[in-house]
Amino acid sequence: MPTHEKVAPSLLVHLRRARDHVDRHYREPLDLDVLAAVAGVSKYHFVRCFEATYGETPIRYLTRRRIERAQDLLRAANLTVTEVCMLVGFSSLGSFSSRFAQLVGETPTAYRDRWAARGGARVPGCYLFMKGVLDPAGTTGAQSGRRPPPPYGPTVNT
């Protein structure tokens, strides 16, 4: 269980900012230097304080968030394991598969197939890419995983 006793209360807002950054930008390449900069503290102090506060290191938190998002995609979308791997921010299918199996208890393929066997509706991957919901290559001009901004032009106030 995390404890706040070891961490100065004034630092908690900075740690929360870094954790929120991970939650919003888990698809992007994130490392300790980036996260410590978001928190505004040195890298080593950041790691110690983050772990004391949240019970896990920042990188373990990032990995867990990526795996949780992968589980969502494997359950709900008709995507390959490789597509899911890249969409959640892993650059290696091997490391994704091994970390997924460690955290979830089964391989990504077995997980996806088990959920598919339940017969629930799944969103076609091509639809997600076409609508800009998923854009790993950044081809729509929007940031990965976000919808493109509305077109510019005259606005009508009502």
Side-chain angles (χ1 to χ4, degrees):
M1 179 55 100
T3 176
H4 298 286
E5 296 177 77
K6 299 177 187 174
V7 178
S10 61
L11 185 59
L12 294 177
V13 69
H14 300 285
L15 297 175
R16 210 170 343 199
R17 184 180 307 129
R19 188 184 64 182
D20 291 346
H21 186 82
V22 169
D23 291 342
R24 284 189 308 275
H25 302 281
Y26 65 88
R27 291 180 182 99
E28 300 169 12
L30 297 174
D31 61 20
L32 288 177
D33 292 323
V34 169
L35 296 175
V38 169
V41 297
S42 77
K43 178 169 58 174
Y44 301 106
H45 187 61
F46 172 68
V47 171
R48 282 190 306 272
C49 293
F50 191 98
E51 188 169 14
T53 302
Y54 298 114
E56 62 188 336
T57 66
I59 299 304
R60 281 197 183 139
Y61 180 78
L62 170 62
T63 300
R64 186 170 55 79
R65 292 296 294 141
R66 286 175 172 171
I67 296 297
E68 288 169 355
R69 184 62 180 133
Q71 287 178 282
D72 292 341
L73 290 170
L74 290 168
R75 279 192 308 266
N78 187 18
L79 298 167
T80 68
V81 171
T82 302
E83 288 169 329
V84 169
C85 165
M86 298 301 157
L87 286 169
V88 299
F90 280 88
S91 57
S92 161
L93 181 59
S95 63
F96 168 70
S97 295
S98 65
R99 290 299 293 148
F100 190 98
Q102 287 174 340
L103 292 172
V104 177
E106 62 187 327
T107 66
T109 302
Y111 184 88
R112 182 196 59 205
D113 293 349
R114 182 169 54 83
W115 280 92
R118 292 181 177 195
R122 298 178 65 180
V123 178
C126 60
Y127 178 81
L128 296 173
F129 289 112
M130 184 176 69
K131 290 296 185 181
V133 175
L134 301 174
D135 186 25
T139 56
T140 64
Q143 290 185 339
S144 178
R146 296 191 183 149
R147 293 179 187 253
Y152 294 102
T155 57
V156 177
N157 295 331
T158 57

mmCIF file of all heavy atoms in Angstrom, residues 7-26:
data_model
loop_
_atom_site.group_PDB
_atom_site.id
_atom_site.type_symbol
_atom_site.label_atom_id
_atom_site.label_comp_id
_atom_site.label_asym_id
_atom_site.label_seq_id
_atom_site.Cartn_x
_atom_site.Cartn_y
_atom_site.Cartn_z
ATOM 1 N N VAL A 7 6.980 11.377 1.618
ATOM 2 C CA VAL A 7 7.026 12.388 0.561
ATOM 3 C C VAL A 7 6.429 13.692 1.074
ATOM 4 O O VAL A 7 5.350 13.700 1.662
ATOM 5 C CB VAL A 7 6.257 11.895 -0.690
ATOM 6 C CG1 VAL A 7 6.252 12.947 -1.768
ATOM 7 C CG2 VAL A 7 6.855 10.598 -1.194
ATOM 8 N N ALA A 8 7.132 14.777 0.822
ATOM 9 C CA ALA A 8 6.630 16.091 1.228
ATOM 10 C C ALA A 8 5.297 16.366 0.542
ATOM 11 O O ALA A 8 5.168 16.164 -0.668
ATOM 12 C CB ALA A 8 7.639 17.166 0.867
ATOM 13 N N PRO A 9 4.312 16.812 1.292
ATOM 14 C CA PRO A 9 2.996 17.084 0.695
ATOM 15 C C PRO A 9 3.065 18.040 -0.494
ATOM 16 O O PRO A 9 2.291 17.914 -1.439
ATOM 17 C CB PRO A 9 2.195 17.695 1.854
ATOM 18 C CG PRO A 9 2.849 17.152 3.079
ATOM 19 C CD PRO A 9 4.312 17.019 2.740
ATOM 20 N N SER A 10 3.987 18.975 -0.482
ATOM 21 C CA SER A 10 4.100 19.918 -1.597
ATOM 22 C C SER A 10 4.541 19.234 -2.889
ATOM 23 O O SER A 10 4.321 19.755 -3.976
ATOM 24 C CB SER A 10 5.076 21.039 -1.237
ATOM 25 O OG SER A 10 6.362 20.488 -0.985
ATOM 26 N N LEU A 11 5.155 18.061 -2.768
ATOM 27 C CA LEU A 11 5.620 17.328 -3.948
ATOM 28 C C LEU A 11 4.513 16.485 -4.580
ATOM 29 O O LEU A 11 4.588 16.145 -5.756
ATOM 30 C CB LEU A 11 6.810 16.439 -3.569
ATOM 31 C CG LEU A 11 7.502 15.677 -4.680
ATOM 32 C CD1 LEU A 11 8.032 16.636 -5.749
ATOM 33 C CD2 LEU A 11 8.629 14.840 -4.120
ATOM 34 N N LEU A 12 3.465 16.187 -3.832
ATOM 35 C CA LEU A 12 2.413 15.295 -4.332
ATOM 36 C C LEU A 12 1.750 15.824 -5.601
ATOM 37 O O LEU A 12 1.452 15.065 -6.515
ATOM 38 C CB LEU A 12 1.367 15.034 -3.244
ATOM 39 C CG LEU A 12 1.866 14.248 -2.045
ATOM 40 C CD1 LEU A 12 0.755 14.114 -1.008
ATOM 41 C CD2 LEU A 12 2.399 12.895 -2.454
ATOM 42 N N VAL A 13 1.523 17.113 -5.681
ATOM 43 C CA VAL A 13 0.894 17.680 -6.877
ATOM 44 C C VAL A 13 1.784 17.469 -8.102
ATOM 45 O O VAL A 13 1.287 17.220 -9.203
ATOM 46 C CB VAL A 13 0.521 19.162 -6.673
ATOM 47 C CG1 VAL A 13 1.746 20.043 -6.576
ATOM 48 C CG2 VAL A 13 -0.391 19.634 -7.788
ATOM 49 N N HIS A 14 3.089 17.523 -7.924
ATOM 50 C CA HIS A 14 4.022 17.321 -9.033
ATOM 51 C C HIS A 14 4.048 15.852 -9.465
ATOM 52 O O HIS A 14 4.115 15.556 -10.666
ATOM 53 C CB HIS A 14 5.420 17.796 -8.639
ATOM 54 C CG HIS A 14 5.453 19.241 -8.271
ATOM 55 N ND1 HIS A 14 5.379 20.246 -9.214
ATOM 56 C CD2 HIS A 14 5.515 19.857 -7.062
ATOM 57 C CE1 HIS A 14 5.409 21.421 -8.601
ATOM 58 N NE2 HIS A 14 5.487 21.217 -7.301
ATOM 59 N N LEU A 15 3.982 14.957 -8.490
ATOM 60 C CA LEU A 15 3.932 13.527 -8.815
ATOM 61 C C LEU A 15 2.632 13.188 -9.533
ATOM 62 O O LEU A 15 2.615 12.420 -10.493
ATOM 63 C CB LEU A 15 4.069 12.689 -7.545
ATOM 64 C CG LEU A 15 5.382 12.826 -6.789
ATOM 65 C CD1 LEU A 15 5.329 12.039 -5.491
ATOM 66 C CD2 LEU A 15 6.554 12.372 -7.652
ATOM 67 N N ARG A 16 1.547 13.777 -9.094
ATOM 68 C CA ARG A 16 0.248 13.559 -9.739
ATOM 69 C C ARG A 16 0.268 14.063 -11.178
ATOM 70 O O ARG A 16 -0.298 13.459 -12.076
ATOM 71 C CB ARG A 16 -0.843 14.265 -8.939
ATOM 72 C CG ARG A 16 -2.190 13.601 -9.027
ATOM 73 C CD ARG A 16 -3.147 14.196 -8.040
ATOM 74 N NE ARG A 16 -2.326 14.885 -7.103
ATOM 75 C CZ ARG A 16 -2.568 15.300 -5.876
ATOM 76 N NH1 ARG A 16 -3.602 15.173 -5.395
ATOM 77 N NH2 ARG A 16 -1.770 15.918 -5.080
ATOM 78 N N ARG A 17 0.934 15.201 -11.394
ATOM 79 C CA ARG A 17 1.048 15.756 -12.742
ATOM 80 C C ARG A 17 1.772 14.762 -13.653
ATOM 81 O O ARG A 17 1.359 14.534 -14.789
ATOM 82 C CB ARG A 17 1.786 17.088 -12.711
ATOM 83 C CG ARG A 17 1.858 17.755 -14.066
ATOM 84 C CD ARG A 17 2.599 19.089 -14.040
ATOM 85 N NE ARG A 17 2.045 19.984 -13.025
ATOM 86 C CZ ARG A 17 2.771 20.608 -12.107
ATOM 87 N NH1 ARG A 17 4.077 20.461 -12.053
ATOM 88 N NH2 ARG A 17 2.198 21.415 -11.238
ATOM 89 N N ALA A 18 2.843 14.156 -13.153
ATOM 90 C CA ALA A 18 3.592 13.178 -13.954
ATOM 91 C C ALA A 18 2.744 11.926 -14.208
ATOM 92 O O ALA A 18 2.743 11.380 -15.311
ATOM 93 C CB ALA A 18 4.899 12.815 -13.262
ATOM 94 N N ARG A 19 2.021 11.471 -13.193
ATOM 95 C CA ARG A 19 1.169 10.287 -13.372
ATOM 96 C C ARG A 19 0.061 10.582 -14.379
ATOM 97 O O ARG A 19 -0.247 9.754 -15.251
ATOM 98 C CB ARG A 19 0.577 9.855 -12.031
ATOM 99 C CG ARG A 19 -0.153 8.513 -12.137
ATOM 100 C CD ARG A 19 -0.809 8.148 -10.854
ATOM 101 N NE ARG A 19 -1.840 9.135 -10.567
ATOM 102 C CZ ARG A 19 -2.594 9.131 -9.492
ATOM 103 N NH1 ARG A 19 -2.432 8.225 -8.570
ATOM 104 N NH2 ARG A 19 -3.522 10.063 -9.321
ATOM 105 N N ASP A 20 -0.537 11.755 -14.296
ATOM 106 C CA ASP A 20 -1.562 12.141 -15.269
ATOM 107 C C ASP A 20 -0.982 12.230 -16.674
ATOM 108 O O ASP A 20 -1.648 11.886 -17.657
ATOM 109 C CB ASP A 20 -2.195 13.476 -14.886
ATOM 110 C CG ASP A 20 -3.054 13.385 -13.634
ATOM 111 O OD1 ASP A 20 -3.376 12.263 -13.205
ATOM 112 O OD2 ASP A 20 -3.384 14.457 -13.082
ATOM 113 N N HIS A 21 0.258 12.686 -16.766
ATOM 114 C CA HIS A 21 0.944 12.751 -18.068
ATOM 115 C C HIS A 21 1.074 11.350 -18.658
ATOM 116 O O HIS A 21 0.838 11.147 -19.850
ATOM 117 C CB HIS A 21 2.314 13.414 -17.896
ATOM 118 C CG HIS A 21 3.020 13.655 -19.186
ATOM 119 N ND1 HIS A 21 2.755 14.747 -19.983
ATOM 120 C CD2 HIS A 21 3.984 12.939 -19.828
ATOM 121 C CE1 HIS A 21 3.517 14.687 -21.067
ATOM 122 N NE2 HIS A 21 4.267 13.613 -20.991
ATOM 123 N N VAL A 22 1.435 10.375 -17.831
ATOM 124 C CA VAL A 22 1.511 8.987 -18.295
ATOM 125 C C VAL A 22 0.148 8.522 -18.772
ATOM 126 O O VAL A 22 0.029 7.900 -19.835
ATOM 127 C CB VAL A 22 2.040 8.054 -17.178
ATOM 128 C CG1 VAL A 22 1.862 6.584 -17.559
ATOM 129 C CG2 VAL A 22 3.499 8.345 -16.880
ATOM 130 N N ASP A 23 -0.892 8.816 -18.004
ATOM 131 C CA ASP A 23 -2.239 8.379 -18.384
ATOM 132 C C ASP A 23 -2.674 8.953 -19.726
ATOM 133 O O ASP A 23 -3.353 8.275 -20.501
ATOM 134 C CB ASP A 23 -3.256 8.792 -17.311
ATOM 135 C CG ASP A 23 -3.085 8.029 -16.009
ATOM 136 O OD1 ASP A 23 -2.442 6.962 -16.013
ATOM 137 O OD2 ASP A 23 -3.580 8.517 -14.979
ATOM 138 N N ARG A 24 -2.288 10.185 -20.021
ATOM 139 C CA ARG A 24 -2.687 10.828 -21.276
ATOM 140 C C ARG A 24 -1.767 10.485 -22.443
ATOM 141 O O ARG A 24 -2.205 10.498 -23.588
ATOM 142 C CB ARG A 24 -2.719 12.345 -21.095
ATOM 143 C CG ARG A 24 -3.912 12.850 -20.349
ATOM 144 C CD ARG A 24 -4.009 14.369 -20.390
ATOM 145 N NE ARG A 24 -2.792 15.041 -19.983
ATOM 146 C CZ ARG A 24 -2.437 15.324 -18.728
ATOM 147 N NH1 ARG A 24 -3.211 14.964 -17.749
ATOM 148 N NH2 ARG A 24 -1.322 15.957 -18.462
ATOM 149 N N HIS A 25 -0.491 10.233 -22.173
ATOM 150 C CA HIS A 25 0.495 10.088 -23.243
ATOM 151 C C HIS A 25 1.191 8.729 -23.243
ATOM 152 O O HIS A 25 2.322 8.615 -23.713
ATOM 153 C CB HIS A 25 1.550 11.200 -23.123
ATOM 154 C CG HIS A 25 0.974 12.569 -23.184
ATOM 155 N ND1 HIS A 25 0.610 13.170 -24.363
ATOM 156 C CD2 HIS A 25 0.669 13.456 -22.201
ATOM 157 C CE1 HIS A 25 0.120 14.370 -24.108
ATOM 158 N NE2 HIS A 25 0.141 14.567 -22.806
ATOM 159 N N TYR A 26 0.518 7.690 -22.748
ATOM 160 C CA TYR A 26 1.149 6.375 -22.635
ATOM 161 C C TYR A 26 1.602 5.816 -23.982
ATOM 162 O O TYR A 26 2.508 5.005 -24.044
ATOM 163 C CB TYR A 26 0.209 5.376 -21.939
ATOM 164 C CG TYR A 26 -1.047 5.089 -22.727
ATOM 165 C CD1 TYR A 26 -1.086 4.075 -23.670
ATOM 166 C CD2 TYR A 26 -2.192 5.851 -22.537
ATOM 167 C CE1 TYR A 26 -2.228 3.827 -24.397
ATOM 168 C CE2 TYR A 26 -3.335 5.605 -23.257
ATOM 169 C CZ TYR A 26 -3.347 4.590 -24.185
ATOM 170 O OH TYR A 26 -4.478 4.351 -24.915
#
